[in-house]
């Protein structure tokens, strides 16, 4: 089944990464399994209206209506991997973004820069369209995000600002720059990342991967993050189809060196360069990492999981059900102004499809936000799932 898996994943990645693509090679509109009956229907079901407000999550579980998985959406209420600004060019206006998230029932969102800005002299908006143009870590988008979340009202949305400027290959000035954030946005940035340890897709835009040596130099800023209970999301490619575990030692070193930091591994290490890995090998690596690193979480943003679910469903679902408190959902959407509202809805829906197969405990923790709330010590609670 691996041969079948690869082309689907590659095609889907193209859809996700490039956006604005009219066709959907992932088959997102094809037959979907009805969450209520478990049987396949001809069309993907229309998502039920999300009727829970942000305020409802602030009530104790006993005062919230139980969550009816038959009549309420299976899309996650939290998007823990979201990029409100593109690499370059125009972003969606904040009012529009807030409306889109609201309409899709997303009440909690991480604002991940995007951390890399394309060279200001370039007109390019997406790094894969302009190899040779630098896309380097920058404070620019963080500052715009900090300012906009402050001045535009969003009563039904809880935004977690994230520091995405950190250059993991050159960490010398990070603590100094955090002090600048403290001065300009006191107490407002409560997450870090998505930061790139190794992102092969960005190499043509002068991304410099971290090394064992530079990882050792993270210690001062990792201490700041620990002291403030700030989780950090790391994009760390596991490898590529030629060598699926080529970069695994980097992440292993991070986990060994910083066992007390809350670390979120973006996309479980998958990338568009790695689509043919045996999922059992992949799960075994993740399981080993989780078992030996109590503060490690896995970010299942990216639709490759949806494809994997179809091809290898029982393995992944069993894995998520076995580690329900270690998984975070996300869309990995990049909010370029030229995208349509429907693109977000679709990316959220596709990345949420695996939720339908989770057991109630995992669904509550992952899709209904409980893991996210506990990770950040938020005052919110996920509702109980109806029996
Ligand atoms: Zn991302």
């Amino acid at each position: 089944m691996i041969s079948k898996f690869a082309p689907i994943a590659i095609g889907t990645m193209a859809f996700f990464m490039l956006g604005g693509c009219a066709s959907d090679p992932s088959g997102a509109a094809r037959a979907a399994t009805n969450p209520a009956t478990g049987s396949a229907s001809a069309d993907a079901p229309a998502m039920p209206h999300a009727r829970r407000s942000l305020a409802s999550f602030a009530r104790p579980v006993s005062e919230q209506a139980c969550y009816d998985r038959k009549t309420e959406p299976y899309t996650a209420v939290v998007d823990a991997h979201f990029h409100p600004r593109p690499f370059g060019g125009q972003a969606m206006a904040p009012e529009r973004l807030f409306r889109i998230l609201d309409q899709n029932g997303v009440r909690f969102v991480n604002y991940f820069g995007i951390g890399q800005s394309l060279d200001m002299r370039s007109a390019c908006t997406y790094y894969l369209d302009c190899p040779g143009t630098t896309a380097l870590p920058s404070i620019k988008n963080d500052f715009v995000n900090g300012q906009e979340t402050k001045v535009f009202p969003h009563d039904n949305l809880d935004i977690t600002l994230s520091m995405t400027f950190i250059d993991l290959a050159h960490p010398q000035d990070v603590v100094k720059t955090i002090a600048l954030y403290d001065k300009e946005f006191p107490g407002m940035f409560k997450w870090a990342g998505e930061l790139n340890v190794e992102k092969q897709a960005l190499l043509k835009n002068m991304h410099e991967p971290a090394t064992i040596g530079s990882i050792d130099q993270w210690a001062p800023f990792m201490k700041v993050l620990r002291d403030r209970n700030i989780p950090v999301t790391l994009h760390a490619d596991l490898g590529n189809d030629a060598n699926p575990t080529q970069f695994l030692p980097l992440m292993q070193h991070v986990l060994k060196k910083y066992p007390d930091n809350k670390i979120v591994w973006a996309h479980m290490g998958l990338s568009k360069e790695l689509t043919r890995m045996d999922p059992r090998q992949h799960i075994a690596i993740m399981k080993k990492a989780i078992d030996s690193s109590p503060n490690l979480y896995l970010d299942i943003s990216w639709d490759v999981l949806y494809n994997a679910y179809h091809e290898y469903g029982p393995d992944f679902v069993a894995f998520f059900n076995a580690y329900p408190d270690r998984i975070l959902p996300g869309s990995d959407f990049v909010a370029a102004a030229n995208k349509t509202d429907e693109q977000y809805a679709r990316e959220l829906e596709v990345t949420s499809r695996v939720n339908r197969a989770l057991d109630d405990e995992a669904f509550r923790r992952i899709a209904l936000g409980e893991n996210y709330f506990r990770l950040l010590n938020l005052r919110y609670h996920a509702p109980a799932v109806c029996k």
Side-chain angles (χ1 to χ4, degrees):
M1 297 313 259
I2 288 173
S3 59
K4 201 177 165 194
F5 174 69
I8 293 173
I10 291 166
T12 308
M13 193 61 194
F15 162 69
F16 263 73
M17 300 291 285
L18 300 174
C21 179
S23 67
D24 174 7
S26 76
R30 74 186 170 199
T33 305
N34 183 314
T37 62
S39 64
S41 62
D43 298 298
M47 198 57 59
H49 177 63
R51 51 182 189 255
R52 289 172 192 256
S53 65
L54 174 63
S56 76
F57 289 90
R59 296 189 204 117
V61 181
S62 59
E63 290 174 25
Q64 294 185 46
C66 67
Y67 199 90
D68 186 347
R69 295 180 68 179
K70 291 193 182 73
T71 61
E72 296 188 74
Y74 53 81
T75 46
V77 302
V78 48
D79 191 339
H81 192 137
F82 179 85
H83 301 285
R85 303 188 59 79
F87 293 84
Q90 251 186 59
M92 286 185 180
E95 299 98 320
R96 182 179 167 210
L97 259 193
F98 298 159
R99 177 176 49 74
I100 294 173
L101 292 166
D102 188 32
Q103 286 170 345
N104 285 282
V106 173
R107 304 286 172 247
F108 308 89
V109 63
N110 275 349
Y111 260 28
F112 285 178
I114 208 161
Q116 294 77 47
S117 284
L118 285 163
D119 188 328
M120 295 299 275
R121 289 162 292 192
S122 162
C124 187
T125 61
Y126 192 65
Y127 70 100
L128 287 180
D129 297 334
C130 48
T133 303
T134 60
L136 298 177
S138 165
I139 63 171
K140 289 186 196 82
N141 288 330
D142 293 351
F143 271 49
V144 175
N145 291 333
Q147 182 69 10
E148 289 188 345
T149 55
K150 176 75 188 156
V151 300
F152 291 94
H154 48 282
D155 298 341
N156 210 22
L157 179 66
D158 188 290
I159 298 173
T160 295
L161 289 169
S162 187
M163 296 181 281
T164 59
F165 71 90
I166 298 169
D167 184 341
L168 295 177
H170 301 283
Q172 293 79 5
D173 288 337
V174 173
V175 172
K176 218 161 71 188
T177 309
I178 292 177
L180 173 68
Y181 279 52
D182 290 342
K183 178 166 166 278
E184 301 294 338
F185 301 97
M188 288 173 65
F189 281 79
K190 298 199 164 80
W191 202 288
E194 172 185 30
L195 311 178
N196 294 321
V197 176
E198 165 76 56
K199 180 171 176 174
Q200 296 161 92
L202 255 180
L203 289 175
K204 290 195 176 114
N205 302 85
M206 277 58 101
H207 157 57
E208 202 180 326
T211 60
I212 298 290
S214 71
I215 290 167
D216 289 342
Q217 295 167 36
W218 299 357
F221 83 78
M222 289 297 263
K223 180 178 182 337
V224 175
L225 302 186
R226 261 192 326 270
D227 291 348
R228 299 182 184 189
N229 191 42
I230 291 179
V232 56
T233 297
L234 299 176
H235 181 119
D237 290 353
L238 263 181
N240 44 60
D241 289 332
N243 185 351
T245 57
Q246 185 178 352
F247 308 114
L248 178 59
L250 285 176
M251 196 58 172
Q252 285 172 331
H253 187 67
V254 171
L255 296 173
K256 205 171 107 212
K257 177 96 183 153
Y258 305 105
D260 298 321
N261 278 81
K262 289 179 174 175
I263 292 173
V264 183
W265 196 342
H267 323 304
M268 301 203 301
L270 292 172
S271 66
K272 69 183 187 65
E273 290 78 16
L274 178 60
T275 55
R276 289 164 209 265
M277 190 175 198
D278 180 340
R280 284 156 302 188
Q281 184 194 6
H282 183 219
I283 289 170
I285 291 171
M286 293 297 120
K287 191 170 163 345
K288 199 171 160 204
I290 278 195
D291 286 338
S292 54
S293 307
N295 290 304
L296 174 65
Y297 295 78
L298 302 179
D299 159 333
I300 57 169
S301 71
W302 190 31
D303 66 309
V304 77
L305 267 294
Y306 161 72
N307 296 307
Y309 162 59
H310 267 248
E311 300 291 338
Y312 310 104
D315 292 338
F316 272 108
V317 171
F319 173 58
F320 297 154
N321 283 340
Y323 293 89
D325 53 350
R326 307 292 284 278
I327 313 287
L328 294 172
S331 67
D332 203 13
F333 185 76
V334 179
N338 62 0
K339 290 189 178 175
T340 65
D341 295 11
E342 289 68 35
Q343 270 174 284
Y344 180 74
R346 184 178 291 195
E347 294 192 21
L348 178 73
E349 194 275 330
V350 171
T351 51
S352 291
R353 284 186 180 193
V354 69
N355 295 343
R356 296 177 302 184
L358 298 176
D359 65 29
D360 286 348
E361 170 72 4
F363 185 85
R364 177 173 184 268
R365 289 180 173 276
I366 298 167
L368 299 183
E370 188 64 16
N371 288 343
Y372 183 77
F373 306 151
R374 300 292 73 84
L375 185 57
L376 284 170
N377 293 329
L378 298 179
R379 63 196 167 84
Y380 298 107
H381 306 278
V385 173
C386 301
K387 291 280 173 248

